[in-house]
Amino acid sequence: MYFHKQELQFKSTPDKPDAVYARKLQEVLGGQYGEISVALQYQFQAWNMHIPGKYRDMVFGIGAEEMGHVEMLATMIAQLLEKAPLGITGDAVQDDPTVAAVLGGTDLQQAIVAGAGARPVDSMGNPWQGSYITASGNLLADFTANENAEMQGRVQAARLYHMTDDHGVRDLLKFLIARDTMHQNMWATAAAELRESGLETMPVPSNFPQHKENQEVNYQYLNFSDGAEAKNGPWASGPSFDGKGEYSYHDGPTTSSPMPPPTHPDSRFYGTTELPNTIEKIAGTVQDKLNKE
């Protein structure tokens, strides 16, 4: 059950309208690592979770907070657009390359489609996609993905911080960046506790028996690049990170196999093969008569 409280988690008001920057903020709202993504990712993870208690409660709580961050950014975008010029393109404007460049930096659909409001899109206008979400049901896999999401989001917010001198916008970004700091630490802490408790360990999934994998290659570093320094890394020799194997370094693959012959699908797919065309036609006719759909 959801309730909406008409308050924001943090107060911030832009100094002035800025339609160009409003478009930039769309990235951390509706981009791959934007607030819409993390809000729904965390909630789907909680809905898909198979264990009750502190982990589920924590994920639900952070998912709800992130939905509030969606609202904060949507509100800020609307404020930046509120008194921004409509961008009426008369001949004089079109002839001025400087003005044309400024107008070209705005998201026209924020005006035309959303009526000076935010949209569920990234900074290039690409619609937000549900495929951005990771919710596997494996807590270590999901919490590690969440660490990455918060890291990518914080990188983008930090870059946006330096793209404006608006004090109100910077105040909002400083708050969101600080929450990203907390969430990075939180997911890393939760993932570490999962490993320490033995509830889930590496490699993920840890309840898949390793004797069923090809153990000859499971800790080999195979160098497929002509760079020479990779062999000096800790991933190329010594005990593996999960403590269950020993790294080894190899120049190139340690296994190989001849390429299998080309496949020959049903003739009614009409792919070109080395068989004569007439034979392909006959094969398709026979398959039709045999009702082999």
Side-chain angles (χ1 to χ4, degrees):
M1 185 178 295
Y2 282 85
F3 291 90
H4 178 250
K5 189 171 185 178
Q6 296 187 32
E7 297 178 5
L8 298 179
Q9 191 179 359
F10 182 79
K11 180 181 178 180
S12 58
T13 305
D15 298 336
K16 57 187 181 298
D18 189 340
V20 175
Y21 195 80
R23 175 179 177 176
K24 295 176 181 178
L25 273 186
Q26 284 285 163
E27 191 63 38
V28 289
L29 173 64
Q32 180 176 359
Y33 297 106
E35 299 290 358
I36 295 176
S37 292
V38 291
L40 289 176
Q41 176 159 306
Y42 301 164
Q43 292 184 70
F44 269 97
Q45 288 178 0
W47 294 326
N48 294 350
M49 200 172 294
H50 309 297
I51 182 172
K54 60 184 178 183
Y55 295 117
R56 192 166 184 260
D57 289 355
M58 178 261 291
V59 177
F60 266 135
I62 302 305
E65 179 187 357
E66 298 290 9
M67 190 60 74
H69 294 175
V70 171
E71 186 167 58
M72 292 163 70
L73 282 167
T75 300
M76 175 58 75
I77 289 170
Q79 290 175 325
L80 287 166
L81 294 169
E82 183 179 12
K83 296 181 180 179
L86 290 175
I88 298 172
T89 54
D91 291 340
V93 172
Q94 292 176 353
D95 292 340
D96 187 329
T98 302
V99 177
V102 172
L103 291 177
T106 63
D107 182 347
L108 298 181
Q109 290 198 339
Q110 286 178 331
I112 298 169
V113 177
R119 301 178 60 239
V121 301
D122 65 17
S123 57
M124 297 302 292
N126 301 306
W128 181 86
Q129 301 181 52
S131 58
Y132 295 156
I133 288 177
T134 298
S136 69
N138 183 289
L139 293 192
L140 187 51
D142 285 353
F143 290 178
T144 304
N146 296 349
E147 282 186 66
N148 174 64
E150 296 287 351
M151 290 174 184
Q152 297 292 343
R154 193 171 188 273
V155 166
Q156 293 179 1
R159 289 170 177 164
L160 281 164
Y161 180 89
H162 294 291
M163 295 181 186
T164 182
D165 57 3
D166 188 300
H167 295 89
V169 176
R170 279 192 162 189
D171 284 345
L172 174 61
L173 290 173
K174 286 193 288 186
F175 180 83
L176 293 176
I177 290 169
R179 294 308 297 156
D180 287 342
T181 298
M182 168 56 187
H183 294 160
Q184 283 186 38
N185 280 277
M186 181 192 71
W187 294 122
T189 300
E193 185 186 57
L194 284 172
R195 295 194 299 267
E196 291 164 4
S197 67
L199 192 62
E200 189 69 57
T201 61
M202 291 183 65
V204 175
S206 54
N207 54 357
F208 180 84
Q210 280 198 273
H211 71 266
K212 291 187 177 181
E213 64 186 75
N214 186 334
Q215 293 182 293
E216 293 180 3
V217 298
N218 57 1
Y219 292 104
Q220 293 180 353
Y221 179 85
L222 306 177
N223 188 27
F224 281 89
S225 169
D226 60 4
E229 293 299 317
K231 62 185 177 184
N232 298 323
W235 51 80
S237 63
S240 62
F241 182 80
D242 60 17
K244 299 177 181 179
E246 192 79 12
Y247 293 132
S248 61
Y249 174 86
H250 306 269
D251 271 321
T254 57
T255 59
S256 66
S257 174
M259 180 66 73
T263 56
H264 291 89
D266 190 306
S267 297
R268 291 165 296 176
F269 281 116
Y270 304 112
T272 303
T273 72
E274 76 277 12
L275 298 176
N277 195 258
T278 52
I279 294 179
E280 292 280 15
K281 286 181 179 179
I282 294 171
T285 301
V286 171
Q287 287 164 327
D288 277 338
K289 288 181 178 180
L290 294 174
N291 294 318
K292 289 188 175 181
E293 297 299 335

